[in-house]
Amino acid sequence: EPEVTQTPSHQVTQMGQEVILRCVPISNHLYFYWYRQILGQKVEFLVSFYNNEISEKSEIFDDQFSVERPDGSNFTLKIRSTKLEDSAMYFCASSREINTDTQYFGPGTRLTVL
Amino acid sequence: AQSVTQLDSHVSVSEGTPVLLRCNYSSSYSPSLFWYVQHPNKGLQLLLKYTSAATLVKGINGFEAEFKKSETSFHLTKPSAHMSDAAEYFCVVSDPYNAGNMLTFGGGTRLMVKP
């Protein structure tokens, strides 16, 4: 069964450094998403992406964040200058269609900012 | 705006006894509703989804949920718990008119199953 994969599983970085989290969505999916979960808090939507454009973004997704689909398989989330409060589990998801279609999630990348 | 409240952060049951995980939602529209499960070090796996068809939805591993519009609830049940059901469960709502298909998550319920 196809799966969404994410690398790395755990990333440790120093405050102020740039990080790139990588995701490989399911191959025939067209819609891609990032969510995050700060320890002890709810899973929160960050951004959705379709046809090489952001479809929607939350208030969390400020100018420090960017997403890209650099090739036909990868989907990346970049944080330009990490802050302590960016420490969280970041989940990538993909769906074949939009509007009620199921989103399939990866296992997550745990980002620790020191 | 939509929101989801999972009424119990932790639920503990004995193996072989019924499971009830409670979820209430708030949405301006007729929402789509989902239950996802997360086992340790695994991704979020879809258990079941409701999209305005039958109000009783059957999912994987013997789970089912009933959509009750009058109560704005979408509780998850299973007749008999198994040790492998121990995990975190998330109730999720989606606004079908939302262009970005944003999912809104509840706080999660950790299910513990005692032998």
Side-chain angles (χ1 to χ4, degrees):
Chain A
E1 184 177 324
E3 290 182 336
V4 176
T5 60
Q6 291 185 243
T7 55
S9 58
H10 192 188
Q11 172 97 41
V12 180
T13 189
Q14 296 291 326
M15 190 169 56
Q17 295 296 304
E18 174 184 287
V19 295
I20 297 176
L21 309 183
R22 290 183 167 79
C23 168
V24 179
I26 294 172
S27 62
N28 63 347
H29 285 189
L30 301 176
Y31 298 86
F32 314 112
Y33 315 85
W34 284 101
Y35 294 80
R36 79 171 185 190
Q37 184 180 30
I38 295 171
L39 190 63
Q41 297 186 22
K42 292 186 178 185
V43 177
E44 302 170 291
F45 170 80
L46 291 178
V47 66
S48 58
F49 189 86
Y50 168 69
N51 200 26
N52 283 322
E53 288 184 347
I54 290 175
S55 301
E56 186 174 14
K57 60 183 180 179
S58 70
E59 292 177 354
I60 303 166
F61 195 88
D62 61 21
D63 292 343
Q64 292 297 314
F65 292 90
S66 62
V67 289
E68 191 180 27
R69 188 151 163 83
D71 53 42
S73 59
N74 289 284
F75 179 52
T76 62
L77 173 69
K78 182 192 292 186
I79 309 174
R80 288 190 183 81
S81 178
T82 50
K83 307 181 187 71
L84 294 176
E85 54 265 37
D86 293 327
S87 294
M89 180 72 89
Y90 288 81
F91 293 104
C92 173
S94 68
S95 65
R96 191 177 60 246
E97 297 174 7
I98 208 158
N99 294 344
T100 78
D101 196 43
T102 301
Q103 293 183 24
Y104 293 86
F105 284 80
T109 293
R110 180 163 296 285
L111 176 64
T112 302
V113 182
L114 302 176
Chain B
Q2 54 198 24
S3 66
V4 182
T5 301
Q6 292 184 240
L7 297 159
D8 306 293
S9 59
H10 293 81
V11 169
S12 181
V13 301
S14 297
E15 191 175 21
T17 64
V19 175
L20 170 64
L21 306 183
R22 298 182 294 165
C23 171
N24 286 98
Y25 70 91
S26 171
S27 176
S28 302
Y29 306 100
S30 296
S32 296
L33 293 158
F34 307 80
W35 277 97
Y36 281 86
V37 61
Q38 185 180 28
H39 292 274
N41 301 315
K42 299 285 189 183
L44 295 156
Q45 180 187 18
L46 180 73
L47 274 181
L48 51 81
K49 67 177 180 180
Y50 166 78
T51 54
S52 74
T55 56
L56 183 63
V57 182
K58 293 188 185 301
I60 61 171
N61 300 334
F63 285 94
E64 61 182 38
E66 186 172 8
F67 173 70
K68 291 188 176 180
K69 187 174 181 178
S70 61
E71 298 177 10
T72 61
S73 69
F74 190 57
H75 300 333
L76 181 70
T77 60
K78 182 174 181 177
S80 175
H82 192 272
M83 295 297 291
S84 61
D85 295 328
E88 183 115 24
Y89 291 79
F90 294 94
C91 183
V92 179
V93 64
S94 171
D95 176 357
Y97 300 101
N98 177 275
N101 203 29
M102 174 182 76
L103 298 181
T104 300
F105 282 73
T109 298
R110 183 163 297 279
L111 176 65
M112 294 167 282
V113 182
K114 297 175 289 187

